[in-house]
Amino acid sequence: MRDGVDAIIEQWAHERPDLDTTAMAVFGRVFRLAAAGASATHAAYMKYGIGRPEFDVLATLRRSGAPYELPPSALATSMMLSSGGTTARLDRLEKTGLIVRRPSESDRRSVLVRLTEGGLVIIDQAVDSGLSAQQDLLRHMAPERVRQLSELLREALQSS
């Protein structure tokens, strides 16, 4: 079973037989799988009128548990964004009615971001759809091989 990465590796082997291209093959395939996953999940999220940036906010709130509410700083940290980037996402989501911002009861200087009922419905549907799209990309593999791949990638990421 050959793929496009094999052709690239063979070209390097012909032109530069001194190179060990094993890492190139791994990362080439990881990048291609990540791109395919990003494309599939983007299409899944767009069915619900959201893109990946909005999904990240809604999913972070949903994962936080009831009442699905966090301060903007916690959202920014979770998504590795600046406060400005987070504010822009929150503005878009608030305009669409998927989140609300309200003053914190414990600190009058801060606000909390909360999923609305509509936001909860959208994120639950989008998560299901996005996960299904990701699973479709791996459906040709046996479940044990998928778990093994996940473990190997976790191990590879230990050095980063």
Side-chain angles (χ1 to χ4, degrees):
M1 189 165 47
R2 297 177 41 76
D3 64 11
V5 174
D6 289 317
I8 293 167
I9 298 304
E10 288 172 5
Q11 289 170 332
W12 279 116
H14 181 265
E15 295 298 318
R16 291 282 311 275
D18 58 306
L19 294 177
D20 177 359
T21 56
T22 305
M24 183 186 293
V26 169
F27 284 98
R29 289 184 176 101
V30 166
F31 292 150
R32 287 174 182 220
L33 182 59
S39 178
T41 55
H42 175 76
Y45 302 153
M46 290 305 292
K47 294 176 193 173
Y48 302 97
I50 59 173
R52 182 62 194 227
E54 293 79 19
F55 175 88
D56 287 345
V57 172
L58 298 174
T60 301
L61 290 167
R62 179 64 171 97
R63 289 190 321 264
S64 73
Y68 315 115
E69 181 176 80
L70 291 170
S73 59
L75 287 166
T77 299
S78 175
M79 295 180 297
M80 297 181 285
L81 283 177
S82 68
S83 62
T86 302
T87 299
R89 289 182 186 188
L90 296 179
D91 288 346
R92 286 192 305 268
L93 287 165
E94 193 168 38
K95 283 179 187 168
T96 60
L98 299 178
I99 63 149
V100 293
R101 289 184 255 203
R102 66 173 192 84
S104 170
E105 294 170 6
S106 62
D107 181 357
R108 291 185 303 168
R109 296 169 295 163
S110 65
V111 298
L112 294 170
V113 178
R114 179 183 282 199
L115 278 177
T116 63
E117 284 296 319
L120 183 59
V121 168
I122 292 294
I123 190 56
D124 279 349
Q125 292 174 344
V127 166
D128 290 346
S129 184
L131 185 56
S132 178
Q134 291 170 341
Q135 290 167 336
D136 284 347
L137 290 172
L138 301 172
R139 198 164 308 285
H140 65 284
M141 296 174 66
E144 182 53 38
R145 298 281 287 167
V146 174
R147 282 189 289 280
Q148 183 182 27
L149 176 59
S150 178
E151 292 295 324
L152 290 169
L153 290 170
R154 177 187 294 119
E155 183 179 337
L157 287 167
Q158 293 301 309
S159 67
S160 61

